[in-house]
Amino acid sequence: IKDWNPFSEDLIQLLDERKFDSIVGVGHSIGAIVTLRAALKYPNRFRALVLLEPVLFPRYFILRWNLMRASGQGYRFHPLIKGALKRRREFDDLETVFTGYRRRSIFRFFSDENLRALIQGMTTRKAGGGREASPQGGFELAYSPEWEARIYHTGIWHDWELWNGIQHLEIPTLIMRGAETDTFWESTARAVQKKNRKIKIVTLEKSTHLLPLEKPQEVFEITESFLKDVL
């Protein structure tokens, strides 16, 4: 892939195949951007949007990233790519993964239950020769570090169009962000509301970019209340 546009087209294709229309679009991180871009292109397909920590950065940051990509330095300087490519791929058991992750500050707001859910979602049993699990046992990442790095590298650079579209967005929209996020900055939130006062933005304390797994009940309740108000 060269950018994230195909993911939004895939979403619309799925809606067509399932014959879904006038839906509530909900997405987190890249999923929020995929949903937002689809809604800007096909607004009649959505009744409301709930965007959790969208990967949306200010326009000056987009310009800086585009210059970096154009110079061929994207893989070198993106803050997440190097770590992704070094990520451990295989594990003997998930309890060992849990023990290691439990000590990381990034998961400080996770309950043990939600951290285990995250680990189970990002891993799969190691494959054998075909569809069966490997007789040696063990687990591996469900998605390769190379694919994760590619997702990081191809994001952001076409997002100028999102800023142009946001000011005309008429679909009822809620954005939730973590107070300690490193993704949807407070300055970004202010810029979004300056562009479109109709967009509601809620900040959750003691949460980060991973807020859906940090505060699932709060996210549900805020979403439910918003949808009751606008639908």
Side-chain angles (χ1 to χ4, degrees):
I1 61 169
K2 296 181 179 180
D3 55 46
W4 290 0
N5 282 278
F7 299 130
S8 296
E9 295 299 332
D10 284 349
L11 173 58
I12 295 301
Q13 182 177 336
L14 176 65
L15 298 183
D16 289 340
E17 291 173 354
R18 301 293 177 87
K19 294 180 169 49
F20 290 154
D21 211 355
S22 191
I23 68 164
V24 174
V26 181
H28 169 245
S29 191
I30 178 177
I33 293 298
V34 168
T35 304
L36 174 60
R37 180 172 276 115
L40 292 174
K41 289 184 177 180
Y42 307 96
N44 60 312
R45 307 300 299 270
F46 296 87
R47 299 171 63 200
L49 300 176
V50 178
L51 310 177
L52 310 175
E53 275 287 315
V55 187
L56 183 64
F57 290 94
R59 284 170 289 184
Y60 75 84
F61 189 90
I62 298 172
L63 177 59
R64 183 186 301 171
W65 173 241
N66 287 349
L67 291 173
M68 196 177 300
R69 279 176 52 98
S71 67
Q73 300 298 310
Y75 269 86
R76 180 180 177 185
F77 288 108
H78 193 291
L80 299 179
I81 287 178
K82 186 179 295 186
L85 293 176
K86 290 182 177 180
R87 199 177 310 286
R88 184 174 175 180
R89 302 162 187 258
E90 299 182 350
F91 315 93
D92 293 332
D93 61 85
L94 297 187
E95 192 60 31
T96 301
V97 182
F98 172 80
T99 301
Y101 277 19
R102 186 70 285 176
R103 292 193 292 264
R104 296 187 183 182
S105 63
I106 190 174
F107 301 121
R108 62 192 179 278
F109 298 129
F110 275 62
S111 68
D112 287 353
E113 178 185 6
N114 290 343
L115 182 55
R116 291 184 191 280
L118 172 70
I119 293 169
Q120 290 174 356
M122 63 183 283
T123 58
T124 185
R125 289 192 176 276
K126 290 174 66 174
R131 296 186 177 181
E132 300 298 323
S134 168
Q136 287 77 34
F139 298 83
E140 61 188 358
L141 293 176
Y143 294 94
S144 72
E146 288 78 15
W147 177 245
E148 182 182 354
R150 187 64 181 170
I151 292 295
Y152 294 145
H153 187 260
T154 53
I156 302 176
W157 72 297
H158 277 172
D159 288 356
W160 201 280
E161 65 188 29
L162 298 181
W163 284 105
N164 293 335
I166 280 174
Q167 61 185 329
H168 304 297
L169 184 64
E170 295 293 335
I171 303 167
T173 300
L174 167 67
I175 296 176
M176 270 186 266
R177 60 181 296 274
E180 300 184 35
T181 181
D182 58 358
T183 304
F184 192 79
W185 303 337
E186 187 175 354
S187 61
T188 309
R190 290 196 300 266
V192 168
Q193 294 210 298
K194 186 176 181 180
K195 281 279 188 181
N196 190 331
R197 294 289 181 183
K198 296 178 181 178
I199 295 175
K200 182 177 182 180
I201 300 180
V202 175
T203 300
L204 280 67
E205 298 299 322
K206 292 186 178 180
S207 59
T208 69
H209 183 63
L210 302 175
L211 66 85
L213 279 169
E214 294 167 334
K215 295 184 176 292
Q217 186 61 36
E218 290 91 332
V219 168
F220 168 77
E221 291 173 355
I222 293 169
T223 299
E224 183 180 46
S225 175
F226 169 74
L227 294 178
K228 284 182 177 179
D229 287 342
V230 301
L231 298 183

